[in-house]
Amino acid sequence: MPMTDTALLAVLLAALAGLLAGRAWAASRRRAELRTRPGFRSSPHYTEGLHGLATGQLEAAIRELGKVLREHPDAVEVQQVLSHLYREVGQVERAIEIHRSLLGRADLTRAERGYILASLGTDYRKAGFLDRAAQSYGEALAVDPKNVHALVGQQKLYEEQRQWREAYEAQTRIARLRKSDDGLVLGFLQAEMGHEAAKAGRHEAAEEAFRTALSLDRRVFPAHLALAELWAKRDPRRAAAILEDAIGTAPERAYLAFEPLEKAYAAIGEPARFVALCERLVAQDPRDWRARLALARHLRADGRAGEALGLLLRALEANPHVLIVHLEIWRTLGAQQALGPEERRYVATVEESALYIDPHICTVCRYRADDMLWRCPHCHEWNTLVEERVGPAAGTR
Ligand SMILES: [Zn+2]
């Protein structure tokens, strides 16, 4: 019986499918043979090591996984985990040693080689060898251009060296690969690019960068501030509008805009708008000592020390830990001629000391800073520092 075209096609397809399946099977068997490195998973030390990992006992995990490696020196996975642990506990040189010896193996897949090179880059970065780190990340990306690990490491390197444009480009690639929304980080990087442009006197480029930053994420507060600064002299009304908009977007950051906003209102001859703004913020959040402090300073400068003192005392009730408020109370008492020579000497001493720190804390890693920072120097995250707020001691209310 003659075969129809359809039947012939079906046979050909079946044959082709069989051929492909056979190839895949043979390949997976070859991989399986390579992968069936002696069964380290059945070692009791492996189980103990995992237990140590799961319970955060890193030293115990290192000890047990070390024993696994003595029984099964070829277990790449175990070497990888162990090297990470060494890096984690600060023994970077041992991590480097493991990664370098792993790279000498001939049976690594491309992805494995890329991953190990990226890990080596991170070892070097942690150890402070930035050139070598950059080189390892570059090699990792040459082996595997989609290695997110290497891209992230490279991006961090750029940030640490304040190469904002390169960091921005790396972050864009990362966002594309991970399909993540990195608008906030990209926005902060644009803001940094804007600052550099402004410093170099390239005001148009600066303005464009700040606008791009805000189109990426409205929460990039320094972009609002910088944009307002660009307009402050030429058009204070416009600067004030930008700052009001910033406060509307992130009221918890409002205090960072107080000084320029007060100046802008003064420049357009409407200083009362500052009072109204502070009063609105206090009504919104009765614990907002910064708005009270700003308003108190404004009133004191206006000769209304009595009202200022009332505000400060209320700010102190809600935030007794804030040294700046204490100091401002002394200053206000001084303005009311309420201090004798000894008190005045005391206040002068406090003014000179470094007491009136402005405590901020990272919401990710709890790093404390004396100033507002946009990028945490410890965990390297953006926009994670907030002012540290402590409630009044229990039982005082
Ligand atoms: Zn942090």
Side-chain angles (χ1 to χ4, degrees), residues 78-90:
V78 178
Q79 300 201 36
Q80 280 280 39
V81 174
L82 195 59
S83 62
H84 281 287
L85 284 171
Y86 277 133
R87 192 202 293 146
E88 209 55 38
V89 299

Side-chain angles (χ1 to χ4, degrees), residues 361-367 375-381 384-385:
I361 188 164
C362 174
T363 50
V364 172
C365 72
R366 316 303 292 169
Y367 177 89
R375 179 173 179 267
C376 174
H378 186 251
C379 69
H380 311 309
E381 297 289 328
T384 57
L385 270 86

Side-chain angles (χ1 to χ4, degrees), residues 243-289:
L243 293 166
E244 283 168 356
D245 182 35
I247 292 175
T249 310
E252 73 283 0
R253 302 274 192 218
Y255 64 95
L256 297 166
F258 284 164
E259 216 186 291
L261 196 50
E262 195 177 8
K263 277 187 195 150
Y265 286 144
I268 56 178
E270 299 173 17
R273 280 172 69 183
F274 188 71
V275 177
L277 173 91
C278 290
E279 281 171 349
R280 202 164 61 241
L281 288 169
V282 173
Q284 266 171 30
D285 177 7
R287 282 173 50 79
D288 188 338
W289 62 269

